[in-house]
């Protein structure tokens, strides 16, 4: 039976800032209140990134808004969250990061079969002129679509 997949949070700037070559699905260590908050689609991946620290992949700077019905006295919305990946995958990502200078960018949080997963993109940063070229191509394609619709 196919699992249902629902996007909870999306990093809209990631595809603009980076050229994503492939994606990896990772589990995330969350508290119960964070899970409820993500299911309400409240939070942001803007400005967040993934790093491998002492052999453990972590999600840095991702904001998950406090759940309003939970005890949030000592809750830090931008805390560091550990990612769950297989050892082989961690080693592969670390070598890609160090040798080929690739970035690990969080793309989106998904609800997959009752579990929250983080989709991490492996890519390289775009230069400013590449961003402008991409935008120009999108505008031309949009104008052509408009002409065809008339």
């Amino acid at each position: 039976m196919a699992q249902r997949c629902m996007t909870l949070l999306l990093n809209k700037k990631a595809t603009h800032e980076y050229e994503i070559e492939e994606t990896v699905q990772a589990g995330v260590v969350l508290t119960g209140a964070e899970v409820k908050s993500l299911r309400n689609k409240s939070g942001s991946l803007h400005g967040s990134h993934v790093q491998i620290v002492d052999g453990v992949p972590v999600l840095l700077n991702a904001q998950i808004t406090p759940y309003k019905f939970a005890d949030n006295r000592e809750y830090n919305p931008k805390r560091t969250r550990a990612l769950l990946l297989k050892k082989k995958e961690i080693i592969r990502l670390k070598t890609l990061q160090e040798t080929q200078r690739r970035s690990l960018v969080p793309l989106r949080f998904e609800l997959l079969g009752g579990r929250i997963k983080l989709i991490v993109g492996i890519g390289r940063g775009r230069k400013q002129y590449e961003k402008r070229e991409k935008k120009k191509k999108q505008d031309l394609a949009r104008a052509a679509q408009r002409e065809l619709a008339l």
Side-chain angles (χ1 to χ4, degrees), residues 88-100:
K88 265 186 179 178
E89 195 69 25
I90 294 169
I91 293 168
R92 187 176 77 84
L93 292 176
K94 190 169 179 79
T95 55
L96 277 173
Q97 217 174 13
E98 291 172 353
T99 59
Q100 296 182 10

Side-chain angles (χ1 to χ4, degrees), residues 6-9 32-44 64-70 109 111 116:
M6 182 172 74
T7 301
L8 300 173
L9 285 182
E34 288 175 331
V35 171
K36 291 208 176 226
S37 185
L38 280 175
R39 282 177 171 254
N40 287 337
K41 299 182 179 184
S42 58
S44 172
I64 297 178
T65 309
Y67 185 60
K68 63 181 176 181
F69 299 114
F109 273 113
L111 184 63
I116 293 180

Side-chain angles (χ1 to χ4, degrees), residues 4 22 29 34 37 93 102 117 119 126 135 138:
R4 286 186 41 208
E22 65 176 293
V29 178
E34 288 175 331
S37 185
L93 292 176
R102 296 295 182 242
K117 302 290 183 178
I119 306 301
R126 282 199 171 116
K135 178 89 167 111
Q138 286 174 341

Side-chain angles (χ1 to χ4, degrees), residues 49-60 80 90 94 97:
H49 60 284
V50 174
Q51 236 177 3
I52 299 175
V53 180
D54 296 329
V56 178
V58 292
L59 175 64
L60 301 167
T80 301
I90 294 169
K94 190 169 179 79
Q97 217 174 13

Side-chain angles (χ1 to χ4, degrees), residues 61-110:
N61 232 9
Q63 179 169 337
I64 297 178
T65 309
Y67 185 60
K68 63 181 176 181
F69 299 114
D71 181 23
N72 296 314
R73 280 178 278 191
E74 295 189 22
Y75 178 67
N76 179 10
K78 288 197 172 198
R79 74 177 180 89
T80 301
R81 295 166 180 91
L83 299 180
L84 305 171
L85 287 168
K86 293 186 176 180
K87 195 170 208 171
K88 265 186 179 178
E89 195 69 25
I90 294 169
I91 293 168
R92 187 176 77 84
L93 292 176
K94 190 169 179 79
T95 55
L96 277 173
Q97 217 174 13
E98 291 172 353
T99 59
Q100 296 182 10
R101 299 187 39 84
R102 296 295 182 242
S103 298
L104 302 176
V105 185
L107 299 177
R108 63 188 175 274
F109 273 113
E110 288 184 348

